[in-house]
Structure formats: C-alpha cells, structure tokens
Amino acid sequence: MNSVTPEQYQSASEIADLVATREISALEILERHLNKIEEHEKDVHAFNLVTINEARAAAKETDKLISEGENVGPLAGVPVAIKDNLCTKGIPTTASSKILEGWNPPYDATVVRKLKEAGATIVGKTNLDEFAMGSSTENSAFGPTRNPHDLTCVPGGSSGGSAAAVAAGFAPIAIGSDTGGSIRQPAALCGVVGVKPTYGGVSRYGLLAFASSLDQVGPFATSVKDAAIVHEVIGGYDPLDSTSIKQAPNSFVNEIDQGVKKLKVGIISELMGGIDGITQEVIDQTNIAVSTLSNAGAQVEEVSLPAALYCLSAYYLIAPAEASSNLSRYDGVRYGLRVDGANLQEMNVNTRTEGFGDEVKRRIMLGTYALSAGYYDAYYGKALKVRRLLAENFAELYKDYDVLLSPTSPCTAFKLGAKVDDPMTMYVNDVCTIPSNLVGHPAMSIPFGSGKDGMPIGVQILAPPMKESVMYQVAHTLEKASQ
Amino acid sequence: MSDSISSDEVKHVAHLARLRLTSEELVTFTDQLRAVLDHAKDVEALELDDVEPMSHPLPIENTMRKDIPNPMLKPSDFLPQAPAVEGGRFLVPKILGEEE
C-alpha cells in the first residue's frame, strides 16, 4: 500500500504554544510543512494552490508581533489549509470549477478573516468536488485528490483536499464545508477529525453557496481538542451572515475533559444495519465505540430514527433544488468564465455548458426539474415534509438522550474510479451524514480503528443544536480510548 | 405513481437551466436522472398531507440590520474581475432585436 502519512502528527495547540513562547518561529513551522508539501503534494494533489509567498509573509508578521510582545491569537503560527470554495481576498478561488478559474475575490470569508486574526498562517486552497458536489473529490475540474493512506483510493468528498492535507501532514488544520457530509465523510476516509457545527454557528459569509439551508463551515484536525480550538476561533455571530445565530456557542475546550458519566447515548438502529449498504466492519467498529462509552460510564441504548430511511431521497431533491437556484449566478456576466455568443442567452448557455462539469450539470437539472410546475409538490414539497418528520424524530429522541451515535461513512475509502460513473451509488456514501444537515444539527466524525483493508473508519457523534460541548466531550472520551 | 423523467423533459430542463446537451449526453443524463428520481419514489409515495413543510433549519423570518452606512465594495474592487466592462458597467451581448 502506497501511503504518505507521517509517523506522528504535531498538534495545532502544541505549535501555537511553541510559537507564542518563541521556542520556534512561525516561519520555521511553516517551512517544515512546505517541505512536506514539496515532497508529497505531487502524489496527493490536496491543493489547487499553495500560497507560498503570502504564507511566508504572514508567518514573518506573526514572528514580528511576538518579538514586539504583542498578544497573538490561539493559532499563532499554525498552518491552515482552506477549501477552495471559501473566498480569500486577492487569491484565486475556484470551487474546483472551470467557470471561476482566474477569479480573485475582493474580500475574505469571515472564517478566513478570523483565522488570520487568531495568528494562523494560510498555506493554500484545497481541492474539492466542483462546487462541493460529490463524495470523492473526483468531480474536480483540476483532477482528483488521492487518499494519503493509500494513493489508489479516494479521500472522500467534497472536502477531500482539506481532509487529505491534514492526513498527509501538510497542515495540522484545514477548513471545509459540509452540505450533506462533505466534512465528516472525508474525515472518516482519511482518518482525521471533522466537525460540522450547528447551522448558523459558523458564518457562511464568503462561502460559495451550494445549498444555502444545508451548507455549514467547519474544521478538520488531527485531534478533538484541536478541532474544538479552531471551532472556537471561527464560530460565533456574524452580522454579515443573515442566518448566523446571535447566541452561537463558541466555548468548547474548557469542558472537553468532563467525560461521559451520566450521559445518555442513543445508537441509531437505522444506520446500524437497518438501511442497506452499510458494511459490517463499519457497524462492528461503531459497536466497539458503544462499548467504550458504556465502560466510561455512559448509558447507551439503541434508538430509532424512522425518517432516516427517507433522508437520502429528500436530500437529493432539496440540495439540487437549492443549487439550481444558487448556481444561476454563474452566467458569464460579472465574474469568471465567459464564452461568447450572438446574444445574451446564447452567451449564458455557452458559458455554463463549457464552464460546469457533469455532476454540477446533473444536479442543476435535477433541481430545476424538482422545482418545476407539475412536479414541485411531488418532489421538492414532499422532501420538505420528510425534513419536518426528521426534525420531529430528533426532537423526540433528544428529550431522553444527550447525543446519538452512528457510523460516519457506510464503507472505508474506495478506489479511484470505482463509483464515479454511477451517481446513485456515489450518493449512498452520504446516507449517515445527511440527517444532521437536513435539521441543522451539529455532528462530527472521529477516527476509530480501521477496516480489513487497513483504511481508517470513522464514528459519528450527533448532538442537538448548539450542544457541541457535549459532542466534544463524547468525542474526546472515544479518542482517548482509541489511542 | 408518475412516470420517470423522459429525454424530452431532460432537454426542456436543460434549456431552463441554460445548458446545452449533446445527443450522447442527453441519453446518459436521462438514465442517471431517472435512477435518482426512481430512488425518490419512496418519498413521493409517502402520505404526508398533514405535515408542515420545513424549508429551513432555523425558524427565522427576516434579518434586518440597523440602517447605518457601512463600508462596502466599490465598483473598482470588482469590475476588473468581470469578463467585459464599459463605462463602469458590466457589458453583455445584445439582449433584444434581431440576431446578426
């Protein structure tokens, strides 16, 4: 197996401590990571762009501030990779689409601004499935990313570049976006921690919209504590995002060690064999996580989430419907690609036909169909009602349980090319992660053992809205047990 | 149960979405969209008359800010990014009138 993962990861919190106390410079930390990128990026292809010059300038600035006795943030000198669907001022942002090639956003996404203010060094823009539509990062206009644990396998998606960058040791932290599992599933397949915060808990300002009622920005890290630290940095109310929650929680690290005694944990039976296609080894590993929590003092019971059976169908109507509307802005007028035509409509058609890849076209057409007269009630309307049922199912469960547990991905990382010609088979990869997006709840994946093929398996922890603290406590308990 | 999507419908939807499909693409996309819509028949078949649709996870209506001027992007920040510009405005091909 051709693997490029490091023997050991250095945590973001350790780096920030060393840099802040001047044991090591931010620049030296950066150079070490740039060396790793230099060595293995040609095999992994985690990045669309490595911003070497900007990163060196930022690291030097951090070192200068520290030498002047200035207070630097909790991510001082920590290299961070940013998914290429988040705006970075003056730095190309492509969403891995030809339609945006060469576009330099005139502003930073709020999460990017907050990371910089916290002292982080932005090292580059990571590859993704075009406009975050996919589960393998094979739908990128710039070629696929490979899984650092086995270069013949996919890293998952759509934030596959971010997950791979962390797994390969290119950066201890990466940022992704999660619309149906696009942070958690690649985190599981690459053996790293990935968090989808509560909807509205992290600003979406500067995130290129895919499905606005589902999209959420979150961190990748090599430890639960690092993920919680980054979540604290990027979370909180943002007046620039009209769906931002005023009381968004942003304090998680202090309570991370509280353990799971007295907590009630529900295991979602539909995702433990109730739905076809979830492999036995993933279910077995989730059951080991269940015993671990039980041994640590939690009360664990199997529970039912009946609407979960219909989530895949509902999601693949709702997300394309929203996407078909959001992506109408790519018309060749204001930014990115224009392919000329005799009149406005012909120019629009030429631009979109040449600029979008197949999966994006598929979803735009699916969404347009689901919203069209005569089909709206049967498809989009029905899907919204399933969403309500699901929210009621969750609300009922959370009266009795603190968190829920399930696998993250139905299987370990698959080979490149294995599913790319069959969209429906690819969509099943999201079956465990979609429910949290539909209701806007937080959920995270942590690495927990591996499969027969030696590839990482992830366990998913789901929590009620704004209750990330409990989610991190459970994750931290499982993490300690698996080390 | 309604029929799955036909290739004529796919052609129509592509037109609405301002996309052009080759004849091979029309065949492939029709098959693929049909597979997804066939899967969605489980949802289509549910009796949900008394369930309220839920379009968004948060029960928010309108989000208004105070009417105070804030710094914002200037045309000079974004016009250079546009494919064609004239006189400080986005330039597009002819919209109305006969084609040449």
Side-chain angles (χ1 to χ4, degrees), chain B residues 80-95:
Chain B
Q81 302 278 333
V85 173
E86 193 177 281
R89 297 179 173 86
F90 298 115
L91 184 66
V92 297
K94 189 190 289 188
I95 299 174

Side-chain angles (χ1 to χ4, degrees), chain A residues 313 338 350 362 375 382, chain B residues 9 20 32 39 42 91:
Chain A
S313 289
R338 169 181 294 189
N350 292 347
R362 226 166 357 248
Y375 298 103
K382 271 278 171 68
Chain B
E9 284 174 307
R20 187 185 306 112
Q32 291 170 335
H39 190 277
D42 60 351
L91 184 66

Side-chain angles (χ1 to χ4, degrees), chain A residues 192-206:
Chain A
V192 298
V193 176
V195 180
K196 185 201 93 71
T198 302
Y199 183 86
V202 174
S203 172
R204 291 186 297 114
Y205 179 72

Side-chain angles (χ1 to χ4, degrees), chain B residues 18-46:
Chain B
R18 298 293 180 263
L19 296 168
R20 187 185 306 112
L21 305 180
T22 64
S23 46
E24 297 87 53
E25 281 175 335
L26 183 61
V27 174
T28 316
F29 279 131
T30 303
D31 283 350
Q32 291 170 335
L33 294 185
R34 203 172 274 161
V36 179
L37 291 169
D38 281 347
H39 190 277
K41 288 202 166 166
D42 60 351
V43 163
E44 209 191 335
L46 292 172

Side-chain angles (χ1 to χ4, degrees), chain A residues 68-119:
Chain A
E68 289 165 356
E70 293 280 335
N71 197 5
V72 283
L75 296 176
V78 175
V80 176
I82 306 286
K83 189 177 184 179
D84 202 15
N85 62 351
L86 283 157
C87 288
T88 41
K89 187 174 180 178
I91 307 273
T93 298
T94 68
S96 286
S97 179
K98 277 198 288 190
I99 214 159
L100 273 175
E101 217 174 344
W103 179 59
N104 298 322
Y107 61 92
D108 273 335
T110 295
V111 291
V112 172
R113 176 180 59 78
K114 286 186 167 188
L115 287 163
K116 287 178 176 174
E117 286 169 2

Side-chain angles (χ1 to χ4, degrees), chain A residues 357-419:
Chain A
D358 283 352
E359 180 62 22
V360 172
K361 288 177 183 170
R362 226 166 357 248
R363 297 211 198 181
I364 288 175
M365 290 191 286
L366 189 58
T368 305
Y369 182 70
L371 290 176
S372 62
Y375 298 103
Y376 182 99
D377 289 336
Y379 290 119
Y380 183 67
K382 271 278 171 68
L384 294 186
K385 291 181 171 189
V386 168
R387 197 176 188 179
R388 173 77 61 196
L389 289 184
L390 181 72
E392 288 169 357
N393 285 175
F394 269 118
E396 200 59 39
L397 286 177
Y398 284 134
K399 283 183 191 162
D400 296 321
Y401 297 90
D402 297 288
V403 295
L404 303 174
L405 208 69
S406 82
T408 306
S409 163
C411 57
T412 57
F414 43 93
K415 297 287 180 191
L416 268 93
K419 300 184 181 180

